[in-house]
Amino acid sequence: MLSLREYKNEWTSNIKGDILSGLVVALALIPEAIAFSVIAGVDPKVGLYASFSIAVLVSIAGGRPGMISAATAATAVLMVTLVKEYGLQYLLAATILAGLLQIFAGLIKIGFLMRFVSRSVITGFVNALAILIFVAQLPELNPTNVPALTFIMVGLGLGIIYLLPYLTTSIPSPLVNIIVLTAITIMFEFDLRTVGDMGNLPDTLPIFLLPDIPLTLETLKIIFPYSFAVATVGLLESLLTQQIVDDLTDTNSDRNQECIGQGLANTATGFIGGMAGCAMIGQSIINIKSGGRGRLSSFIAGLFLLILVVLLGDFVSQVPMAALVAIMIMVSIGTFSWSSIKNLKKYPRSSSVVMMATVFFVIYTHNLAIGVLIGILLEGIFFAWKISQLFKVSSSVTQDGRHRTYHIKGQLFFASVENFMSSFDFKEAVDTVKIDLSEAHIWDISSVNALDMAILKLRREGAEVTVEGINKASETLVDKLAIHDKPNAIDKMLSH
């Protein structure tokens, strides 16, 4: 829990950098918010109001200073069917419910699940997102739809972004890129695609409203699946982005507080006519690279966004898309982990497979959650396989051949059960068999079942079987689940 002094410091430690970076982010958010509204099938103001509300509220209640949250494609695509079948009001209700689910997730401290996401999955997530960000710019670079001058302007913008820092870092180069390219476009009256071509900007402030839906169980059945999906995907993307920002800034943050902050923001956003959102890795990297570090940067981004579209809409609509494309290309290049390509041969094959699978499925499905979940699943399978390879069984027999001892070493669980069972000679004629578990640990019902099976098979062949050296945790599990000492154990085992 942050002290009041620490919380205040997160607002005031980098005022100039946060204000300038917030302006850059605000300008970059406008076309994206409009585009995400189009994806969801709603009016542009729904995405713009959402971006304002979420950015401001997460800056206040979130757990990661410097991270930008707003309306996103990841959550917008999940609402398409709901909007088509039931309309905007149901989208607003689903947004509110999604926020409440995220608050609940934060209160039960679900943020700990991030510890199960490996570095390979995070790298794959980052690389896939970098590719998707670049691919999203291609429509603005299609030579059949845009004039050749667009490419010159994008090149000029990239030149400003990358070369200006060698002269001065007092003003973020992406902001200078926007100002210069807009000025050139207006001055020479270039016929280029602008922000205004993306959709109409709202000219009024958002107002509080209640979704116009019947408050019935049937309504809950309709919106809950969408709300659950949005809450899950939103938290997954937010927590992954939070980890990346932690790494970029060499600081730690509160995952559970971020879950609560995202939930509060989405809940409130639904009441002002906005759609659900979450953290945005692209905009967060723009913010960090532009000098933003504190909560003020996200707050300013949201506030400037509202000011720009409501009060300065006529000017903002003249910003050429080439300027924003240049920024997003910079983000794409900066986001991609280029070292991961070089390390493909250096790192273990399983890690490289997980990373590439995450990239492939994120790009193929355009769904970050699916790609990341597949990556986590593969990582779990590879980990279980590695642990199972460390499992060994050795045995020794007395000189008279009447007493055999099996020494079990390692982790006995579902993936090592087969090796465990194949290590026993069930046809050997011995009087006694001792199973030594002093260097082993029993983890699950599969391993208990295997122990049952081994003991019962040995007893069926006439051997007296004892189990020794079992640790306390394993003994508790065996006492609860095992059946080898119960009446008619063999019959019970065969009945399963």
Side-chain angles (χ1 to χ4, degrees):
M1 186 70 179
L2 285 177
S3 67
L4 184 60
R5 176 177 292 182
E6 290 172 326
Y7 184 74
K8 180 181 177 182
N9 187 59
E10 290 181 349
W11 282 93
T12 59
S13 61
N14 183 42
I15 293 177
K16 178 185 174 183
D18 287 345
I19 291 176
L20 291 174
S21 63
L23 180 57
V24 176
V25 172
L27 287 164
L29 277 174
I30 294 172
E32 291 201 348
I34 295 172
F36 300 152
S37 299
V38 173
I39 290 173
V42 295
D43 190 277
K45 69 180 181 182
V46 176
L48 291 165
Y49 287 160
S51 294
F52 150 70
S53 173
I54 295 171
V56 168
L57 293 174
V58 170
S59 74
I60 298 171
R64 172 64 261 179
M67 187 170 77
I68 304 298
S69 298
T72 63
T75 53
V77 296
L78 299 173
M79 296 290 201
V80 173
T81 304
L82 179 65
V83 174
K84 283 183 179 179
E85 295 183 359
Y86 298 98
L88 173 63
Q89 297 302 316
Y90 279 78
L91 178 144
L92 301 181
T95 296
I96 294 169
L97 180 57
L100 295 175
L101 291 173
Q102 291 175 328
I103 293 172
F104 177 73
L107 292 175
I108 63 174
K109 302 188 183 303
I110 205 171
F112 81 93
L113 292 175
M114 272 302 295
R115 70 183 65 177
F116 298 107
V117 181
S118 71
R119 178 57 54 181
S120 299
V121 174
I122 292 176
T123 301
F125 166 80
V126 168
N127 288 348
L129 207 53
I131 294 170
L132 288 177
I133 290 171
F134 181 80
V135 169
Q137 311 314 308
L138 295 182
E140 297 297 332
L141 297 173
N142 187 339
T144 62
N145 297 330
V146 299
L149 183 59
T150 299
F151 297 94
I152 298 174
M153 294 290 277
V154 171
L156 176 60
L158 288 170
I160 293 172
I161 289 170
Y162 285 110
L163 298 178
L164 184 63
Y166 290 104
L167 301 177
T168 180
T169 56
S170 59
I171 303 177
S173 59
L175 178 58
V176 175
N177 154 64
I178 292 172
I179 295 172
V180 171
L181 265 61
T182 302
I184 292 174
T185 301
I186 295 173
M187 188 181 306
F188 294 99
E189 298 182 350
F190 288 150
D191 184 19
L192 296 173
R193 274 177 55 81
T194 64
V195 170
D197 295 327
M198 296 291 293
N200 295 325
L201 302 180
D203 55 6
T204 59
L205 295 173
I207 59 173
F208 179 84
L209 55 85
L210 292 174
D212 185 15
I213 59 170
L215 299 178
T216 63
L217 183 61
E218 185 63 29
T219 298
L220 180 61
K221 289 180 180 179
I222 292 171
I223 67 173
F224 184 81
Y226 296 96
S227 297
F228 183 80
V230 167
T232 303
V233 171
L235 287 184
L236 179 61
E237 186 166 352
S238 296
L239 294 176
L240 285 170
T241 303
Q242 185 174 3
Q243 181 64 54
I244 292 164
V245 176
D246 284 354
D247 294 341
L248 288 173
T249 58
D250 293 322
T251 56
N252 296 319
S253 56
D254 189 334
R255 293 179 183 134
N256 296 314
Q257 184 59 45
E258 185 61 34
C259 293
I260 294 172
Q262 293 286 335
L264 289 171
N266 278 323
T267 300
T269 297
F271 285 115
I272 64 167
M275 58 196 280
C278 61
M280 305 178 74
I281 185 172
Q283 302 298 341
S284 297
I285 290 177
I286 290 177
N287 190 45
I288 298 300
K289 289 186 177 294
S290 299
R293 291 294 184 276
R295 294 179 181 271
L296 185 61
S297 60
S298 179
F299 182 87
I300 291 295
L303 184 62
F304 275 179
L305 169 64
L306 189 64
I307 293 173
L308 288 170
V309 299
V310 175
L311 301 181
L312 301 175
D314 291 341
F315 171 76
V316 172
S317 64
Q318 297 181 70
V319 174
M321 287 301 298
L324 300 176
V325 168
I327 292 176
M328 298 312 293
I329 290 176
M330 176 270 290
V331 170
S332 176
I333 294 172
T335 301
F336 195 89
S337 176
W338 299 99
S339 62
S340 64
I341 298 177
K342 181 178 64 177
N343 293 329
L344 282 175
K345 293 183 178 180
K346 178 181 176 182
Y347 287 170
R349 185 175 299 176
S350 59
S351 296
S352 298
V353 169
V354 169
M355 189 272 286
M356 290 189 293
T358 303
V359 171
F360 173 79
F361 283 103
V362 169
I363 293 174
Y364 179 73
T365 63
H366 282 245
N367 189 317
L368 297 170
I370 291 176
V372 170
L373 289 174
I374 288 175
I376 293 172
L377 177 62
L378 284 175
E379 190 72 71
I381 292 172
F382 286 135
F383 177 77
W385 180 81
K386 290 175 185 176
I387 296 299
S388 69
Q389 299 308 298
L390 300 176
F391 180 81
K392 293 181 179 179
V393 178
S394 59
S395 69
S396 59
V397 66
T398 57
Q399 290 184 350
D400 59 10
R402 297 172 61 185
H403 309 283
R404 179 170 291 279
T405 300
Y406 288 93
H407 302 277
I408 317 300
K409 185 176 182 179
Q411 310 304 313
L412 184 55
F413 66 116
F414 63 89
S416 55
V417 161
E418 186 174 341
N419 290 341
F420 173 77
M421 292 300 295
S422 64
S423 300
F424 290 91
D425 183 357
F426 295 111
K427 299 298 182 182
E428 184 181 26
V430 292
D431 293 338
T432 65
V433 173
K434 181 167 67 176
I435 301 176
D436 182 5
L437 294 171
S438 57
E439 295 185 83
H441 189 95
I442 294 176
W443 284 102
D444 57 12
I445 191 171
S446 297
S447 51
V448 174
N449 185 267
L451 181 63
D452 277 337
M453 185 69 74
I455 292 172
L456 292 174
K457 282 188 174 183
L458 289 167
R459 286 176 178 172
R460 189 175 59 186
E461 298 300 322
E464 180 183 337
V465 185
T466 59
V467 178
E468 297 182 357
I470 188 169
N471 61 46
K472 198 69 177 176
S474 299
E475 185 179 18
T476 300
L477 188 65
V478 170
D479 288 345
K480 183 179 180 180
L481 301 176
I483 63 171
H484 57 261
D485 286 333
K486 295 181 179 179
N488 301 317
I490 293 179
D491 293 336
K492 291 180 180 179
M493 179 65 69
L494 294 175
S495 67
H496 286 294

